[in-house]
């Protein structure tokens, strides 16, 4: 640590961790890596990274430690046995998990003399090291500012959401609930197309056009939802109810899985049963918020 050269440790060498360590090497950093399965470090070592003999050695090598693990349980499995080397370290945890797990891990790190910055990377491995890519961060702002140049190597854009270590995880999960359900809706559409003799390529232009129309709907409804205004002037839940039943029956008639369209019909029906037939289908936000409460 006496060298003036910038240096960093990356623990966890899945596709994301490998891309991150590679981005640091590209920028001339001294990079120490560690991974449960050592062979995943081979290509990075060939490019000049140093493979630490164990997690303790990886922590001891640098003050700045990037964690890119499957989840926070993997972090405890990795760092728990090496906890004596945690004091004085800044852990940038870019592993996905719940806001509550991120908060508990920040307390765990503090108790061992380390600082945790939580991160939520919004791009796949191909976006790592790119100026236009972005990551949510939360946790101590001072640690964020101190390490901002290194964080900007991972993604050029960084968005510090606040001191609460759960906030970055929350923003990440807000994106992921949309990503997973949207992608499943695409798989559903492709399954329906396939049952009718159409390929994914056949329906791609229509799928893209449909997806591209969504941001306009997001903006239109965001203002109304924040104002708790669900007037049925442009759409009515009763119309939506009929439409989602057509979707369900079309998929059932085609013999494809109906789990997803059935769940959609169930939510619309609950809105109808609650007496919202004449209001916009945005009123379902209220139905879903009450379920959470
Ligand atoms: N891939 C993406 O497109 C993407 C995009 C944004 C965010 N993320 C998030 O970024 C994180 C890393 O992504 P990834 O695709 O690189 O994940 P991954 O393929 O799941 O790899 C993560 C790493 O976790 C390690 N690991 C898992 N369980 C462990 C355990 N019990 N003990 C020690 N090490 C353990 C793996 O080690 P081994 O090699 O030994 O299995 C591997 O190095 C995830 O939280 C993911 O949700 C991913």
């Amino acid at each position: 640590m006496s060298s003036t050269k910038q240096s960093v440790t990356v623990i966890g060498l899945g596709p994301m961790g490998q891309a991150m360590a590679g981005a640091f090497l590209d920028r001339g950093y001294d990079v120490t890596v560690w991974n449960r399965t050592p062979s995943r470090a081979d290509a990075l070592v060939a490019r000049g990274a140093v493979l630490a003999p164990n997690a303790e050695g990886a922590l001891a090598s640098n003050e700045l430690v990037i964690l890119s693990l499957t989840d926070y349980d993997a972090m405890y499995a990795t760092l728990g046995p090496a906890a004596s080397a945690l004091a004085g370290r800044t852990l940038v945890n870019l592993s996905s998990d719940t806001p509550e797990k991120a908060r508990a891990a920040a307390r765990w790190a503090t108790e061992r003399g380390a600082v945790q910055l939580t991160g939520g990377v919004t791009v796949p491995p191909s976006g790592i090291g790119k100026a236009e890519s972005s990551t949510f961060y939360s946790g101590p702002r001072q640690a964020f500012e101190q390490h901002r140049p290194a964080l900007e190597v991972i993604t050029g854009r960084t968005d510090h959401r606040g001191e609460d270590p759960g906030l970055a995880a929350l923003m990440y999960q807000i994106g992921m609930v949309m990503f997973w359900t949207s992608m499943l809706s695409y798989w559903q559409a492709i399954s329906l197309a396939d049952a009718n003799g159409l390929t994914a390529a056949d329906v791609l232009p229509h799928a893209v056009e449909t997806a591209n129309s969504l941001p306009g709907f997001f903006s239109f409804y965001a203002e109304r939802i924040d104002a708790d205004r669900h007037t049925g002037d442009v759409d009515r839940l009763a119309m939506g109810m009929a439409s989602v039943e057509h979707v369900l029956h079309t998929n059932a008639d085609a013999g494809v899985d109906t789990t997803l369209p059935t769940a959609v019909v169930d939510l619309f029906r609950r809105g109808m049963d609650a007496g919202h037939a004449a209001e916009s289908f945005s009123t379902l936000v209220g139905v879903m918020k009450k379920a959470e409460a």
Side-chain angles (χ1 to χ4, degrees):
M1 291 179 72
S2 59
S3 166
T4 54
K5 202 175 172 193
Q6 293 166 305
S7 63
V8 65
T9 287
V10 179
I11 294 179
L13 300 176
M16 291 292 273
Q18 289 190 34
M20 290 171 196
F24 282 115
L25 287 170
D26 288 344
R27 299 290 186 91
Y29 278 63
D30 281 337
V31 180
T32 299
V33 295
W34 186 82
N35 193 55
R36 178 179 61 178
T37 308
S39 59
R40 283 188 148 179
D42 288 352
L44 292 164
V45 170
R47 292 178 55 196
V50 173
L51 175 62
N54 48 40
E56 199 165 12
L59 287 172
S61 298
N62 291 296
E63 189 267 325
L64 179 61
V65 178
I66 310 295
L67 301 173
S68 180
L69 298 159
T70 304
D71 53 26
Y72 277 66
D73 285 345
M75 181 207 72
Y76 293 117
T78 303
L79 300 189
S84 61
L86 277 171
R89 299 295 171 263
T90 297
L91 306 175
V92 179
N93 200 333
L94 302 176
S95 315
S96 163
D97 219 314
T98 67
E100 280 309 315
K101 289 253 184 111
R103 291 182 183 114
R107 289 192 293 273
W108 183 86
T110 302
E111 285 161 13
R112 286 153 186 81
V115 166
Q116 174 182 293
L117 273 175
T118 311
V121 185
T122 66
V123 292
S126 58
I128 297 300
K130 303 267 170 66
E132 65 275 18
S133 301
S134 69
T135 303
F136 291 113
Y137 288 101
S138 67
R141 178 170 275 283
Q142 195 243 331
F144 170 76
E145 294 297 347
Q146 182 188 343
H147 293 294
R148 192 198 279 257
L151 303 179
E152 288 175 350
V153 172
I154 298 171
T155 59
R157 290 161 54 217
T158 55
D159 185 355
H160 186 266
R161 305 296 298 185
E163 297 282 317
D164 172 0
L167 288 176
L170 173 67
M171 293 304 289
Y172 180 78
Q173 297 305 340
I174 284 172
M176 291 318 289
V177 70
M178 294 184 65
F179 176 80
W180 291 124
T181 54
S182 300
M183 290 307 291
L184 274 177
S185 77
Y186 181 42
W187 300 167
Q188 183 80 46
I190 290 173
S191 302
L192 177 60
D194 175 78
N196 289 276
L198 298 169
T199 66
D202 290 333
V203 297
L204 183 61
H206 182 38
V208 169
E209 203 171 320
T210 303
N212 284 345
S213 74
L214 293 179
F217 288 100
F218 295 166
S219 303
F220 177 79
Y221 285 108
E223 197 187 328
R224 290 178 165 223
I225 287 167
D226 283 347
D228 201 22
R229 188 157 46 88
H230 302 286
T231 42
D233 54 342
V234 292
D235 78 278
R236 292 189 321 121
L237 187 66
M239 175 279 291
M241 181 80 239
S243 176
V244 297
E245 281 184 332
H246 302 157
V247 172
L248 172 61
H249 296 148
T250 303
N251 281 270
D253 289 349
V256 300
D257 192 281
T258 55
T259 305
L260 203 56
T262 299
V264 173
V265 163
D266 178 58
L267 275 166
F268 273 73
R269 187 163 290 133
R270 282 161 53 196
M272 295 288 285
D273 291 347
H276 300 302
E279 296 174 23
S280 165
F281 84 126
S282 64
T283 195
L284 293 182
V285 168
V287 173
M288 293 162 101
K289 281 200 285 195
K290 278 177 202 139
E292 277 179 10

